[in-house]
Amino acid sequence: VLWSSLLVRSDWAPLVLGSLHGAARQRSPMPLRASVQRWCGARVEAAEALRSFLVSKGAELDAQTLGPGIGTHGLGIFARRPIAKGEVLAAVPRSLVLEVPLAPTTPTVPTLRPSPLAGALPTGGRWYDVLGDGAGRAAARRLAERLLEEEEKGSKSLFAPYIHALPAPPQLHPLQQDWSAELVECSPMLKRLYEEAAHCHHLCLSASTRRAQHSSAQLSGALSLVLSRNFALQGSALGLLPFIDFFNHHRDDASTATAVSTRVPCTFQERWPGMVAMVAERSIYQGEELTFRYVAAPDSVLLVQYGIAPEGGNRHNLAGVEVFHDDVAKICREKWRVLQSWGWDGHTPLLFTVPDGLSSRAPLRRFAQLLASVDQEELAAATAVRRGRRSAQPATPPAAVQLLISWLLRARARMRLPDLVKDEKDCPLSAAVAAVVAGERDVLEDCLQQLEQELLLWVPWLSMALL
C-alpha cells in the first residue's frame, strides 16, 4: 500500500534503498515487507532524532503529545494523547528555520473595471503560491540553493538533522518525472496548470547560481522540496520549518464536510515573536494524524503544485470549460468590440472554471449572456433589470443558459481517462490523473443539473409570453 509513496531519491535520503524496486520483483513478499518496515523505522527514528535536537535548541515538541509515524501518505505526525482545541502542538524558534528573504511584491494600481476574461487567459503562473510572481520564484530558487549548500556542509550544518530526516521529493511532482503529452491532454485545466508550472520551473532552474556545482536532478529535487514544503513567514520571508513541515495536507472531503471529526485538525500560526507553531483547531483524538490545510484548491492544483494524488470527494474541485474562436466567429461587430475591450484577441482559447464561473456576474455567465444577446442595448437592459427589480424571473435569458449547457456538454465529451496498466502501482501518475479527470467530470455533471433546473424556471415565463 505504501510502496509508491516510499520510493526515495538517493540524492537526498540518507538511507538509500538502492535497487529495492528491482529486488521487489525477485524476492518473496516477506523480505520486501521487512525491508519496507526497516525503512519506515529508520524514517521515524530520524524524525525523532530531529525532535530531540530541536528541543535542545529551544523548540517545544512534547513527546507525550505528538510524534512521527508512517501513515497512508508516508511520514507524518500523530497525536499520542487526546488534544483539546487551542493547544499548542509544536513550536519552533525562527532561528532554527531554514529561510530566505522574500522581496515584497511591487503594488500595482488596481483598475476600476478589471477585464472579466483576465482569469480565463493564459497567465504564465496564476498560482496559489510563490510561483505566481517574480519575487516568489526568486525566493524559491534561493531557498533551494540554500538547501543544497546546507546539505554540502554535512554534519557541520545546523540543519543536518533536518536534512537527514527530510522525506523524498514528491514522486508525482512535475519536477520529479516527465508528464507525457497523453496525460496532460486528458483535461484542459490540468494542461493549463501543467504548462504554467513548467514555465515557472524553467524560470527558477535557469536562473540558479548552482548549475555548475549540481546536476539538474539535484536542483530539481531541491526545488520540488521547496515548492511542496515552504511556508510564507512574517517579515517577508520564505522558509522550510523543521519538524513542523512533517504535518501533511488535510484533505477536504465533500461528503463529510460538516462532521467535526473530519474538519482540519491544525492551523499554522506565528503568534509569538520569534516562534512558528502548529495549534489545534479542534479536539483531536489519540492516534489521529495531525494535518493542516496547505491550500483550499482542486485536485489538479494539488497534483501539479505539491505532487499530492487525489483521493476523491474534494469539495474544492473545479472543472475547466474552454471557449474557442469558432464559438464567436459569427457574432456582430459590436460584440467583437466588447470582447476586445475585455482583452481577448479571439484566437487564444479561453479557459473558464466551474462551478464558480456560473455564479451571478461571473465571467463565464457574462460571456454567454453577451453572445446570446440580440444587441448591446438588450444586454444593458437585462443588467439593469437584475439590479433594480426583485422578481421571480430567472436572471439569465434561456438562450444564454442553453449556450452554457452546450459548452459544458462539450467539455465533458472532450475529457478522457488515461489508459491505465493492470497494476496501478506501476503507474501511479496515470492513476492520479484519472482521479483528477473523474473529479472534474463529477463537477460538470453537477453544473449541468444546475443549469437544466435553471432553464426549467423559464417555462412559466415563456408560457405566459405565448399567451
Side-chain angles (χ1 to χ4, degrees):
V1 175
L2 299 175
W3 179 244
S4 63
S5 62
L6 297 182
L7 293 178
V8 175
R9 284 176 50 85
S10 59
D11 297 323
W12 287 98
L15 303 170
V16 182
L17 291 183
S19 59
L20 186 57
H21 185 271
R25 302 180 182 275
Q26 300 173 7
R27 301 176 184 174
S28 62
M30 285 302 294
L32 174 60
R33 285 200 295 269
S35 299
V36 172
Q37 288 173 356
R38 285 196 300 271
W39 182 88
C40 292
R43 293 287 84 207
V44 172
E45 289 177 5
E48 286 285 8
L50 172 63
R51 185 240 294 280
S52 299
F53 170 78
L54 294 174
V55 169
S56 71
K57 297 293 184 180
E60 299 176 11
L61 303 168
D62 183 19
Q64 304 300 318
T65 300
L66 77 172
I70 301 296
T72 307
H73 309 109
L75 181 66
I77 304 298
F78 295 82
R80 289 180 172 173
R81 63 168 176 82
I83 297 172
K85 179 180 179 179
E87 284 193 53
V88 178
L89 303 175
V92 176
R94 279 284 291 267
S95 59
L96 300 177
V97 172
L98 184 61
E99 64 178 85
V100 297
L102 177 60
T105 305
T106 304
T108 57
V109 179
T111 58
L112 295 178
R113 304 180 74 177
S115 168
L117 304 182
L121 292 166
T123 60
R126 180 169 58 90
W127 279 78
Y128 296 83
D129 71 343
V130 296
L131 285 180
D133 60 79
R137 290 190 292 270
R141 171 181 56 80
R142 289 195 300 270
L143 189 55
E145 293 170 349
R146 179 90 190 277
L147 184 60
L148 289 169
E149 292 169 2
E150 296 297 333
E151 193 268 345
E152 283 182 340
K153 295 178 183 178
S155 59
K156 296 180 180 179
S157 170
L158 174 68
F159 302 98
Y162 171 59
I163 294 174
H164 181 74
L166 265 177
Q171 182 191 11
L172 302 181
H173 196 278
L175 282 168
Q176 290 304 111
Q177 62 174 297
D178 293 329
W179 292 26
S180 67
E182 178 188 1
L183 288 179
V184 174
E185 294 288 344
C186 287
S187 156
M189 185 172 172
L190 193 64
K191 179 181 179 181
R192 174 71 63 83
L193 290 168
Y194 179 82
E195 290 175 348
E196 290 181 358
H199 174 71
C200 294
H201 296 161
H202 173 73
L203 292 177
C204 290
L205 294 174
S206 61
S208 175
T209 61
R210 309 283 299 181
R211 296 172 67 186
Q213 294 91 340
H214 295 92
S215 66
S216 59
Q218 289 174 316
L219 290 170
S220 296
L223 184 60
S224 62
L225 281 170
V226 167
L227 295 179
S228 59
R229 310 184 77 83
N230 72 84
F231 288 75
L233 304 174
Q234 293 178 0
S236 298
L238 193 71
L240 296 176
L241 279 54
F243 198 86
I244 285 182
D245 68 5
F246 293 167
F247 285 63
N248 286 320
H249 172 65
H250 176 77
R251 302 179 184 238
D252 295 299
D253 189 345
S255 62
T256 58
T258 59
V260 174
S261 61
T262 60
R263 295 175 188 168
V264 58
C266 311
T267 56
F268 173 71
Q269 297 185 13
E270 294 182 79
R271 58 168 64 177
W272 307 278
M275 296 288 284
V276 292
M278 281 290 180
V279 179
E281 184 69 11
R282 58 167 172 81
S283 299
I284 300 170
Y285 59 84
Q286 183 175 353
E288 181 180 355
E289 183 174 5
L290 302 176
T291 58
F292 75 107
R293 184 183 293 116
Y294 291 3
V295 64
D299 287 336
S300 53
V301 171
L302 294 175
L303 180 60
V304 173
Q305 183 173 323
Y306 297 102
I308 296 177
E311 292 186 348
N314 184 352
R315 61 190 176 95
H316 303 293
N317 269 346
L318 301 172
V321 177
E322 288 182 297
V323 177
F324 304 93
H325 177 269
D326 292 344
D327 295 317
V328 297
K330 297 180 180 180
I331 64 174
C332 64
R333 184 176 301 176
E334 291 136 297
K335 294 179 182 179
W336 264 120
R337 280 200 287 265
V338 174
L339 292 179
Q340 289 172 350
S341 70
W342 286 356
W344 190 38
D345 58 8
H347 300 290
T348 305
L350 297 173
L351 180 64
F352 298 93
T353 55
V354 293
D356 56 336
L358 299 179
S359 60
S360 176
R361 303 297 296 160
L364 179 58
R365 187 174 288 269
R366 290 184 63 184
F367 194 87
Q369 288 174 319
L370 172 65
L371 297 189
S373 63
V374 175
D375 51 41
Q376 281 299 109
E377 288 74 17
E378 179 182 346
L379 180 60
T383 304
V385 168
R386 285 201 303 273
R387 291 179 178 176
R389 293 180 55 188
R390 294 184 179 181
S391 171
Q393 178 179 355
T396 305
V401 177
Q402 290 175 326
L403 188 57
L404 288 169
I405 290 175
S406 68
W407 288 343
L408 265 64
L409 288 173
R410 182 178 64 189
R412 186 182 64 180
R414 289 173 63 90
M415 279 188 180
R416 56 187 181 80
L417 293 172
D419 295 330
L420 298 177
V421 293
K422 293 182 179 180
D423 186 359
E424 292 185 359
K425 292 181 181 179
D426 290 338
C427 195
L429 181 57
S430 293
V433 171
V436 168
V437 172
E440 292 184 9
R441 281 182 172 176
D442 290 341
V443 171
L444 289 174
E445 291 290 347
D446 292 341
C447 292
L448 282 169
Q449 291 182 11
Q450 171 190 334
L451 289 173
E452 289 167 357
Q453 292 174 0
E454 185 177 341
L455 195 59
L456 289 175
L457 295 177
W458 274 99
V459 173
W461 291 94
L462 294 177
S463 300
M464 292 175 62
L466 291 175
L467 293 175

